[in-house]
Amino acid sequence: MFNIILFGPPGSGKGTQSARLVEQYGLIHLSTGDLLRSEISRKTALGMEAKAIMDRGELVPDAVVVGMIASALDHNPMAKGFLFDGFPRTVAQSEALDNLLHQKKTSIGVVLAMQVSEEELVKRLLNRGLTSGRSDDNSEEVVRARIVEYHKKTSVVADYYRKFDKVVEIKGEGSVEEILLLLCSEIDKRLSN
Ligand code: B4P
């Protein structure tokens, strides 16, 4: 089993590239953002609680997202591997993920960390907000709050995995195809080892 974390700030291209990578490598795509938005669209209690938090640009509690990931892992016992997109976003989530994978006798193979400047992130997210209907992409204030939350709580996740020598930095600016090639070359290197 080969498991990948696609890591980076909001708007760095995680969702965009994940869609292509899961198709290319036959992995199961686990996006906590997508799982939360599905709860919101089904108007579940969890979704209603999460929506208020997401609309402020803040992170949903660790226990909520870890529970969603644990259940998704259990539902895919035959997976060739998982692509984690937007998860883990805190060190506590990273530790929980390591434990869950350890119980399944597997681990993270690589953390691909996308590097994009703040002005490009803001531009991309506000641009997506014009058509996506996502309330967290609509206002510059909320978009910037998400980036602040990333620096406060999420960027340390890369340091956590650096200790295990698992992080590779990827230039996340350029065309979607150019960035995909960079990501695939890092994955292929590890798969051939
Ligand atoms: P996510 O759904 O993970 O949202 P995101 O970070 O904005 O998405 P992503 O980074 O995938 O977007 P992409 O660049 O592909 O999270 C939303 C919210 O959910 C969080 O703020 C938080 O509240 C909550 N949440 C999720 N996971 C959580 C967790 N683990 N713990 C706690 N809370 C959690 O796309 C952005 C735009 O850029 C698109 O329009 C795309 O077309 C464009 N784009 C992509 N690549 C490009 C390129 N190369 N050039 C130009 N544009 C590009």
Side-chain angles (χ1 to χ4, degrees):
M1 194 184 260
F2 191 72
N3 305 302
I4 300 169
I5 294 175
L6 200 53
F7 183 79
S12 55
K14 302 184 296 289
T16 304
Q17 297 294 343
S18 291
R20 288 157 176 83
L21 292 172
V22 290
E23 192 172 325
Q24 184 143 342
Y25 293 99
L27 303 170
I28 302 281
H29 182 201
L30 293 183
S31 157
T32 38
D34 288 350
L35 292 170
L36 289 165
R37 282 185 288 277
S38 152
E39 296 280 341
I40 292 171
S41 67
R42 288 183 284 120
K43 296 191 168 36
T44 64
L46 189 158
M48 293 302 95
E49 184 197 336
K51 184 175 183 341
I53 299 170
M54 290 163 78
D55 283 351
R56 294 195 297 270
E58 294 168 9
L59 294 185
V60 171
D62 290 335
V64 172
V65 287
V66 169
M68 291 191 319
I69 290 290
S71 130
L73 292 177
D74 286 344
H75 279 97
N76 290 284
M78 305 306 282
K80 274 171 69 179
F82 294 94
L83 177 68
F84 297 96
D85 160 11
F87 177 88
R89 263 175 153 98
T90 63
V91 170
Q93 291 179 23
S94 312
E95 290 168 347
L97 177 62
D98 279 358
N99 284 331
L100 289 169
L101 294 177
H102 183 72
Q103 284 165 26
K104 304 207 176 290
K105 301 192 171 21
T106 183
S107 61
I108 292 298
V110 68
V111 178
L112 300 166
M114 316 267 278
Q115 313 290 312
V116 177
S117 72
E118 180 157 338
E119 285 324 298
E120 173 72 12
L121 297 174
V122 173
K123 196 173 89 189
R124 285 184 190 179
L125 292 172
L126 290 176
N127 190 42
R128 181 171 67 186
L130 297 175
T131 54
S132 68
R134 271 180 60 171
S135 44
D136 59 344
D137 285 343
N138 270 337
S139 100
E140 181 162 348
E141 195 188 336
V142 173
V143 163
R144 291 203 184 266
R146 287 161 62 193
I147 296 172
V148 168
E149 191 83 333
Y150 169 82
H151 288 300
K152 219 162 51 181
K153 297 178 183 162
T154 306
S155 58
V156 286
V157 166
D159 300 331
Y160 171 87
Y161 287 106
R162 269 189 201 102
K163 285 190 290 194
F164 306 105
D165 207 18
K166 293 200 169 168
V167 180
V168 181
E169 277 162 18
I170 302 286
K171 185 171 166 279
E173 293 188 41
S175 74
V176 170
E177 287 68 29
E178 282 163 353
I179 299 162
L180 180 63
L181 283 178
L182 297 175
L183 293 165
C184 289
S185 131
E186 292 299 334
I187 296 170
D188 292 343
K189 254 190 249 171
R190 280 155 187 84
L191 285 177
S192 65
N193 271 344

